[in-house]
Amino acid sequence: MHVPWVYHHCHGTPPTSYNTSLFCVQGCDASVLLDNSTGIVSEKGSNPNSNSARGFEVIDEIKAALETACPGTVSCADILALADRDSTVLVGGPYWDVPLGRRDSLGASIQGSNNDIPAPNNTLPTIITKFRRQGLDVADVVALSGAHTIGLSRCTSFRQRLYNQTDNGMADATLEASYAARLRQGCPRSGGDGNLFPLDLATPARFDNLYFKNLLVGKGLLSSDEVLLTKSAETVALVKAYADDVDLFFQHFAQSMVKMGNISPLTGAQGEIRKNCRRLNGN
């Protein structure tokens, strides 16, 4: 598959839902990489990450190579930040300088993952509030949502838009009719929860600004995408600006990624540099 998502932005795994799982729950400290162990309940099992966050074996391979070349030097958190940037570039997106020196967490927070990661059906005020808790603003919300130019989403994340958006048994009126009909073919009223659909139907494997162009013609997949165009004049203006100017989107996306990567990093003597990203040293 979100290359980055991005939203697993500080997590470094490809998204299959809003999961702007991109999201740093305790800070950009690679907590999401920890498996279940004594005293640790993995964030991988949280509602936003379960059956969505993946690609962890790629980080394992990178970490193993680094430990062979320069043991105990590069943290898992820095690997994720660099992988986010490089995977974005590889699919046509912008480059940005990644500040380094993060250290890895000594724990995980499944509660934080469940409560703080924006969900596909969250209202716009809820999404903005969750971003602001991390020191991110409305412009960051829209720019980082543009990571949905890449990746896939599960049927269960948008089914309500197809059949019962407002508890009246009707489809979301903001969905373009032929697009909604196409989605219903692979996302039935029941069953098929794990069926996957591109977040950007036009160029699903390329990082560009067509996600925003899709929104303008009623072809945003998730409710959390659609609300950017219908619930706030500020977000509407940004959607239109990014649809018109890919360079502006790339500039703002890169800036927001740096901001997200700088959320409460562990430095100095805090945390540790894990030898294996899936477990604490000594375990």
Side-chain angles (χ1 to χ4, degrees):
M1 275 173 247
H2 223 231
V3 305
W5 261 103
V6 131
Y7 109 130
H8 289 355
H9 291 324
C10 299
H11 299 175
T13 54
T16 52
S17 67
Y18 188 84
N19 223 347
T20 355
S21 256
L22 320 167
F23 236 63
C24 306
V25 173
Q26 303 178 120
C28 288
D29 57 8
S31 61
V32 75
L33 298 181
L34 289 170
D35 287 340
N36 288 323
S37 63
T38 303
I40 291 178
V41 179
S42 176
E43 294 172 16
K44 296 174 184 177
S46 70
N47 293 330
N49 289 334
S50 180
N51 298 313
S52 178
R54 61 194 72 189
F56 299 108
E57 68 280 355
V58 177
I59 303 301
D60 294 337
E61 293 176 17
I62 296 170
K63 182 59 173 174
L66 284 168
E67 285 300 305
T68 298
C70 46
T73 303
V74 182
S75 69
C76 300
D78 275 351
I79 290 172
L80 291 180
L82 289 165
D84 284 343
R85 190 272 312 278
D86 291 349
S87 59
T88 301
V89 171
L90 285 170
V91 290
Y95 176 95
W96 61 91
D97 291 327
V98 178
L100 300 174
R102 301 169 188 81
R103 288 168 67 86
D104 299 323
S105 72
L106 297 175
S109 175
I110 191 169
Q111 180 180 5
S113 185
N114 280 326
N115 294 336
D116 296 339
I117 293 176
N121 58 352
N122 277 164
T123 65
L124 183 59
T126 297
I127 293 168
I128 291 172
T129 295
K130 289 181 176 181
F131 271 72
R132 281 180 171 156
R133 286 176 188 158
Q134 306 293 341
L136 303 171
D137 58 26
V138 173
D140 297 317
V141 170
V142 182
L144 292 173
S145 292
H148 285 179
T149 183
I150 287 286
L152 305 169
S153 180
R154 300 168 67 225
C155 168
T156 187
S157 295
F158 59 86
R159 175 183 283 121
Q160 85 286 347
R161 297 194 71 200
L162 303 179
Y163 302 105
N164 195 29
Q165 177 70 357
T166 57
D167 295 323
N168 63 357
M170 302 293 289
D172 186 341
T174 65
L175 268 177
E176 194 273 330
S178 64
Y179 179 52
R182 179 176 170 182
L183 293 173
R184 280 192 289 269
Q185 290 178 2
C187 185
R189 287 182 181 271
S190 62
D193 287 3
N195 292 352
L196 297 175
F197 295 79
L199 289 157
D200 171 359
L201 80 163
T203 55
R206 182 166 182 80
F207 198 102
D208 52 31
N209 67 337
L210 288 189
Y211 162 80
F212 297 105
K213 294 178 183 290
N214 293 338
L215 284 182
L216 293 175
V217 293
K219 295 182 179 181
L221 184 61
L222 305 179
S223 179
S224 56
D225 298 323
E226 178 269 331
V227 294
L228 299 177
L229 190 65
T230 60
K231 301 300 181 183
S232 161
E234 184 177 6
T235 59
V236 169
L238 287 165
V239 167
K240 291 180 177 178
Y242 296 155
D244 287 341
D245 189 341
V246 66
D247 292 330
L248 179 67
F249 165 49
F250 279 15
Q251 177 189 345
H252 287 186
F253 181 83
Q255 292 169 350
S256 294
M257 284 297 293
V258 172
K259 285 178 68 175
M260 180 170 278
N262 289 339
I263 294 173
S264 304
L266 301 176
T267 59
Q270 298 173 312
E272 64 181 12
I273 296 179
R274 291 183 213 141
K275 298 175 182 178
N276 182 321
C277 292
R278 294 177 179 266
R279 59 178 180 264
L280 303 182
N281 297 339
N283 283 5

